[in-house]
Amino acid sequence: RYFYNRDWSSASEGSLTAVQNFDTDGFSLLKSKILDYQKSPSIGSTHMNSSKTNSRPHRYRLDLVSENIVTTHSDGETHYLTEYSDYNLYGKPGLKKESGPSGTKYTKFEFINDRANWTLNLPTKVSISANGSSYSPIREKTYKSLSQSNEGVSYDVLVPHQNKVYGTWRSRYSSYHSDGNVKEIEYNQPLIKSDGQTFSSEFRYKILSAYRRGQPQHITVPSRYSSSDTMSASRVVDDNGWVTNV
């Protein structure tokens, strides 16, 4: 069962406020979830006639503040609470706090915003903590600037460069095509020689080309036990973006 805000004078009109899950008998409550929101500062005008319609949901963003979940079972209830805070100007929370029977977990989110090109909320780091003060990064993503031009206008855009997990890089986008599609992805796994030894500073990679509808039609990877020989696969992507032949 779903519950929605029906207050036509509120910025929360139309928002989901609660959910109830029942057993197969239709009336034994198994789980309930209550959602709470806060109204953001005004994000602009809609130029709507406010006397005939509620323009507030269009002029304000609703930031989710908490999700309170209660599960019902034979020996009582279990409560789980998730709280969101530190919202940035573009609607992303900087902190999530999860509380339950096993304790509390804090997750911190960091973003970068390229306002010049209106590329917002690019994730850069996710960190976790058990006490809300000492955090350890678990995922990180860095970006690099890519120069492009369109109809004679030159500009720089931020594109993904490297992914880290627990402080160690796992993959990186080594190069891009001139149209902005990824050309080469490198992975933190050294290439192996036939004797089991690894090549110095040579990592597993994937080269992507012949893009169609956002998908590469030609994929090249290194051959086994070699840092110079390659093997490749091709596929056909139609106008719908579907792979029709491999």
Side-chain angles (χ1 to χ4, degrees):
R1 181 183 298 173
Y2 297 89
F3 299 85
Y4 295 89
N5 185 305
R6 298 303 185 190
D7 182 2
W8 76 274
S9 64
S10 169
S12 303
E13 182 187 15
S15 62
L16 180 67
T17 58
V19 180
Q20 292 180 328
N21 298 91
F22 296 88
D23 205 344
T24 53
D25 59 19
F27 59 87
S28 297
L29 183 63
L30 297 177
K31 183 174 75 171
S32 63
K33 177 169 69 173
I34 298 176
L35 300 96
D36 187 28
Y37 303 88
Q38 68 179 7
K39 185 178 71 173
S40 74
S42 175
I43 56 176
S45 174
T46 62
H47 301 287
M48 298 171 64
N49 188 336
S50 58
S51 64
K52 295 182 180 180
T53 185
N54 182 14
S55 64
R56 293 173 185 83
H58 306 284
R59 292 189 289 116
Y60 300 94
R61 185 184 64 245
L62 281 185
D63 296 332
L64 181 63
V65 174
S66 65
E67 293 179 320
N68 192 348
I69 297 177
V70 179
T71 59
T72 305
H73 36 81
S74 58
D75 55 349
E77 296 180 343
T78 303
H79 293 253
Y80 303 90
L81 177 63
T82 302
E83 300 171 274
Y84 301 90
S85 59
D86 295 345
Y87 276 84
N88 65 17
L89 291 174
Y90 308 107
K92 287 294 186 179
L95 183 65
K96 179 172 70 171
K97 177 183 177 182
E98 299 169 279
S99 305
S102 59
T104 302
K105 173 185 175 183
Y106 298 83
T107 305
K108 183 184 293 185
F109 305 94
E110 298 180 38
F111 305 90
I112 188 173
N113 296 294
D114 180 11
R115 296 182 181 87
N117 296 295
W118 209 241
T119 305
L120 308 176
N121 291 326
L122 297 172
T124 57
K125 184 186 292 187
V126 178
S127 307
I128 58 174
S129 171
N131 55 22
S133 59
S134 178
Y135 284 87
S136 299
I138 59 173
R139 292 194 304 275
E140 297 175 77
K141 177 176 287 189
T142 60
Y143 299 83
K144 62 182 179 181
S145 181
L146 184 68
S147 298
Q148 293 289 323
S149 63
N150 185 26
E151 296 184 355
V153 178
S154 299
Y155 55 91
D156 294 327
V157 295
L158 291 179
V159 294
H161 174 55
Q162 185 170 260
N163 296 307
K164 289 183 178 181
V165 178
Y166 293 103
T168 301
W169 78 273
R170 291 293 184 88
S171 63
R172 55 193 176 202
Y173 302 92
S174 304
S175 60
Y176 286 79
H177 291 285
S178 59
D179 60 4
N181 283 310
V182 176
K183 181 178 181 180
E184 182 176 355
I185 306 174
E186 197 173 21
Y187 302 93
N188 191 3
Q189 182 180 1
L191 295 177
I192 300 176
K193 302 178 182 179
S194 58
D195 60 3
Q197 300 298 310
T198 59
F199 288 96
S200 176
S201 302
E202 296 286 344
F203 297 94
R204 186 167 63 90
Y205 62 86
K206 183 190 298 182
I207 297 176
L208 311 173
S209 60
Y211 276 82
R212 182 174 178 79
R213 292 293 187 263
Q215 298 191 63
Q217 297 183 106
H218 193 78
I219 302 170
T220 301
V221 297
S223 297
R224 189 181 187 187
Y225 304 140
S226 174
S227 63
S228 57
D229 296 334
T230 61
M231 54 186 180
S232 60
S234 297
R235 59 184 182 174
V236 177
V237 178
D238 66 12
D239 290 340
N240 299 309
W242 301 337
V243 177
T244 59
N245 193 16
V246 178

